[in-house]
Amino acid sequence: MAKHRIAVIDGDGIGPEVVAEVMRVLEAVAGPAGFEYETTFFPWGCRYYVEHGHTMPADGIEILSRYDAIFLGAVGDPRIAPEEVTGVGPVLAIRFGFDQYANIRPVKPLPGAPYPLARPTPDEIDFTVVREATEGIYVGLGGRFAPDDPQVAEIAAMRKIFGRSKELALQTGVYSEAGCRRVIERAFRLAEERDGKRLVTSATKANAMKHGMALWNDVFADVASKHPDVRSEWNNIDALSMRFVLKPESLDVVVAPNLFGDILTDLSAALLGGLGFAPSANLTDSHFPSMFEPCHGSAPDIAGKGIANPTAALLTLAMMLEHLGEDVAARAVEDGVREVVARGAVRTPDMGGSASTEDMGQAVAEAAVRLVECA
Ligand code: NAD
Ligand code: MN
């Protein structure tokens, strides 16, 4: 019997609330689906920061490397720690540390979830965003400089307003040929596996970002030429964001650099009914663990009330189970979530209901167990 070792970082705010329901459903399906698992909780994030001055221990990455997968709730709490230090500290450290370059964010609306568009119908939408997650503007390079700092002399002279500012900040993006290639390649492979429209759309902006996005475009064209069975196209990010609202049914696989993908996937979460419905996986090719986390943050505005929607976290659990090779359990959890949302008897406030996070988790656990048993 397979035994999976799962590291759990439940984090801050609603993180622990939704993770509790993930644990409930995992425990419920494991036996019937015939696998064993072991979880270890790591109390990292803002609460840890308040005590220790950092969001995770120095050997945190090494500790996590011994697990088969990482499940993360959400970290960040601007009320107790400064956002630039703690906001996504461990998340980025783990993505970078384990080379989790492919952030996979499926967009397949659930019937019964709040749906914002007049058209198309929710069942016409089924696409996945593959967001590059280790490069681009999130690498953290740059700094804040006085305009007379010799390091920025040339830049300060570029525009009058730069020279007479009190301060200049540089935020440098890094785009590597190999880094672009592996994520774009993965998007094409996904388009082949999905057997949907077999279309890959590249989110870009080479007209304004003429170094990084030009490299991205060159690599995209090269990878596309090696996959003649998949159609390809590019869209500038501004036009593409409009298309996410006006013609989302025209998409199949979208591949995007880090920042564009981050923003696009909160937009696509709106198509799903809100952040409470948007799952994600951070995949690596290395022997290190991949990480599974809902797209949402710690939602301080609703934390502690027991009303967070655990759907995103539960769909993320389904993605983790699939990754671990537990296809029966994965399908049962995903279908269980879909069944509960479609039935509509248990709805959290973001769905217009008054059910609690726990009510929702319990309903999904029951549905998933039944689905495993008839699989
Ligand atoms: P957020 O995702 O936490 O919340 C945005 C809005 O969506 C809020 O109104 C919130 O109530 C709602 N929402 C989010 N998840 C929900 C759920 N499961 N059910 C119902 N409603 C939900 O984003 P934010 O407010 O920009 O960030 C809050 C904190 O989370 C910040 O510290 C931020 O840095 C952090 N953050 C962490 C991650 C992560 O851990 N990967 C991701 C994004 C933001
Ligand atoms: Mn985000």
Side-chain angles (χ1 to χ4, degrees), residues 54-138:
H54 34 254
T55 49
M56 63 193 277
D59 59 348
I61 293 296
E62 198 195 314
I63 294 170
L64 292 176
S65 71
R66 297 175 214 135
Y67 289 83
D68 299 321
I70 303 162
F71 194 97
L72 183 134
V75 290
D77 192 341
R79 295 169 305 181
I80 59 173
E83 187 71 355
E84 67 278 16
V85 180
T86 64
V88 287
V91 179
L92 292 185
I94 295 166
R95 283 184 190 150
F96 295 172
F98 295 141
D99 227 1
Q100 294 164 346
Y101 67 89
N103 183 205
I104 309 286
R105 299 189 156 180
V107 186
K108 190 175 169 193
L110 288 78
Y115 181 70
L117 301 181
R119 63 145 303 282
T121 56
D123 59 314
E124 291 176 83
I125 300 176
D126 181 0
F127 66 93
T128 292
V129 178
V130 180
R131 164 190 171 193
E132 201 294 319
T134 50
E135 313 199 327
I137 213 153
Y138 289 16

